[in-house]
Amino acid sequence: MAAVLFDRDGTLIEDVPYNGDPALVRPVPGAREAVDAVRAAGIATGMVSNQSGIGRGLLTADEVQRVNDRVDEVFGPFDVWVVCPHAPEAGCGCRKPEPGLVVEAARRLGADPDACVVIGDIRADVLAAKAAGAHGILVPNAATRKEEVDAATHTAPDILSAVRALRSGGWSV
């Protein structure tokens, strides 16, 4: 495993729709420990995040960057950040569930996508992983639909459990 690529909102931090305020960044339980465990194993960390609020005119790229900078302050710096700023109707190849964010993060890390794991809270995260040739793990939260959980190959009850299963060989990657 070369890298673990995390979704941001709802996976590592509490989901605040269209958040442009760094003061609202709150880690989900176990997230800091999960990221620390990945780093302790010598595995690269990355963030792949749809930020359609930019394309919708609800946020600026600078506001998203300030929130991302706060996430780096809380968790320590990630090795790579890749953000899709496009609205859903833009039809871009980077907006999850398309593979672009995962492929680009792997490229920037010098890794093959099939050596990467994507951890996210919605089906689009795991579909993006699959489309890129990476491995996806769904960590459902209150907003995750039951059919998304039912369709996922790998699920974990929380982010720390997902990372522990990866590190212990609970899933082959």
Side-chain angles (χ1 to χ4, degrees):
M1 184 176 6
V4 176
L5 308 174
F6 296 95
D7 171 59
R8 192 186 83 177
D9 303 320
T11 301
L12 281 185
I13 64 171
E14 297 294 333
D15 188 11
V16 176
Y18 309 112
N19 183 18
D21 183 355
L24 299 178
V25 170
R26 304 273 184 271
V28 300
R32 178 59 202 236
E33 295 85 353
V35 173
D36 288 347
V38 171
R39 290 180 177 138
I43 300 167
T45 59
M47 190 75 66
V48 289
S49 182
N50 287 345
Q51 292 297 319
S52 69
I54 299 169
R56 295 171 194 235
L58 302 171
L59 292 165
T60 67
D62 286 341
E63 287 171 319
V64 170
Q65 185 60 54
R66 284 193 298 274
V67 169
N68 292 347
D69 290 345
R70 177 65 184 141
V71 171
D72 271 346
E73 289 172 11
V74 170
F75 289 92
F78 287 84
D79 297 305
V80 66
W81 279 85
V82 187
V83 172
C84 172
H86 305 110
E89 61 275 5
C92 67
C94 59
R95 181 176 170 76
K96 294 180 284 183
E98 297 300 322
L101 292 177
V102 177
V103 170
E104 179 61 14
R107 184 193 70 74
R108 289 185 193 178
L109 292 167
D112 289 326
D114 68 354
C116 297
V117 174
V118 177
I119 300 177
D121 66 318
I122 60 172
R123 189 163 188 237
D125 298 317
V126 295
L127 289 176
K130 183 177 181 179
H135 307 272
I137 301 172
L138 183 70
V139 177
N141 59 33
T144 310
R145 297 188 324 257
K146 181 184 181 321
E147 59 269 20
E148 293 178 302
V149 177
D150 293 344
T153 302
H154 297 297
T155 64
D158 57 67
I159 192 164
L160 188 54
S161 296
V163 168
R164 285 179 176 156
L166 282 172
R167 293 214 39 223
S168 70
W171 294 306
S172 60
V173 175

